[in-house]
Amino acid sequence: MNRKARQLGMENTHFVDSSGLSEKNVSTASDLAIMVRAAASYPEIAEYSKTKSYTARFSHPGYSLRYGNTNLLVHRDSWKINLTKTGYLNEAGRCLVMMTKINGRETVMVMLNSYGKRTPIGDAGRIKRWLTTGKSGKISSSARHYQRQVLQQLLPDQLALNQ
């Protein structure tokens, strides 16, 4: 995975496992955008990533298990999703990467460490609204508060200078 990341030009990415569940896997929004574009070139990955739901059927023992896509935008006719991946870790927060078409133009969106379970979906809507109308819409006060907390942890010295 690390070799492929380098081949793609993902200079700030390092994997320690393939599950995506280790806090030691690191990347940047820019590198994840590169990965999304590369993954979209594989038709099966693109198709499976935007499948609304899938029911797996097992015979020994006999049972079914339904999987639902956690990117709610794949269920909306107003979105043309070409590829998507959601994720969550305590260390990374709620994340969403996707490739979509807006005004006929392919657009990659990367939301990292979003506040709240549905915030990446709202963020995607605000980005789309901004790209199509120039207006982004309101961000909740709790999301703004969360942003200040995260920034305070990451950049305490810089924030102290700005106050």
Side-chain angles (χ1 to χ4, degrees):
M1 288 175 62
N2 288 311
R3 187 173 348 115
K4 184 64 173 182
R6 296 293 167 271
Q7 289 171 351
L8 292 171
M10 298 169 63
E11 300 295 325
N12 298 298
T13 296
H14 179 73
F15 300 105
V16 297
D17 78 342
S18 60
S19 72
L21 298 176
S22 172
E23 71 277 2
K24 294 178 182 172
N25 291 330
V26 294
S27 193
T28 63
S30 178
D31 279 4
L32 291 173
I34 292 169
M35 183 186 291
V36 167
R37 290 189 186 285
S41 70
Y42 295 89
E44 283 129 350
I45 293 174
E47 189 59 35
Y48 290 138
S49 81
K50 62 185 180 180
T51 298
K52 295 176 184 177
S53 68
Y54 178 78
T55 301
R57 293 176 181 25
F58 304 92
S59 55
H60 298 290
Y63 69 99
S64 297
L65 188 58
R66 184 182 174 278
Y67 297 90
N69 197 316
T70 54
N71 181 349
L72 301 177
L73 300 177
V74 302
H75 301 277
R76 296 186 184 164
D77 293 335
S78 59
W79 283 86
K80 170 71 172 104
I81 308 292
N82 298 323
L83 185 130
T84 184
K85 174 70 177 90
T86 60
Y88 175 79
L89 287 176
N90 286 336
E91 297 80 5
R94 305 209 180 267
C95 301
L96 168 65
V97 297
M98 68 180 184
M99 179 183 282
T100 185
K101 206 163 248 188
I102 299 175
N103 287 343
R105 186 175 180 191
E106 259 187 12
T107 304
V108 174
M109 295 185 187
V110 179
M111 275 72 68
L112 304 174
N113 198 13
S114 293
Y115 171 78
K117 190 172 187 176
R118 296 186 187 245
T119 303
I121 304 303
D123 290 343
R126 281 183 282 282
I127 291 168
K128 182 179 181 183
R129 189 175 313 111
W130 177 71
L131 290 172
T132 57
T133 69
K135 299 174 184 173
S136 65
K138 299 209 181 254
I139 299 170
S140 72
S141 61
S142 58
R144 287 190 187 279
H145 177 73
Y146 176 74
Q147 179 186 37
R148 281 192 298 275
Q149 285 181 313
V150 169
L151 289 173
Q152 184 66 42
Q153 290 172 358
L154 295 174
L155 310 166
D157 298 334
Q158 290 86 338
L159 289 175
L161 292 174
N162 292 331
Q163 293 182 3

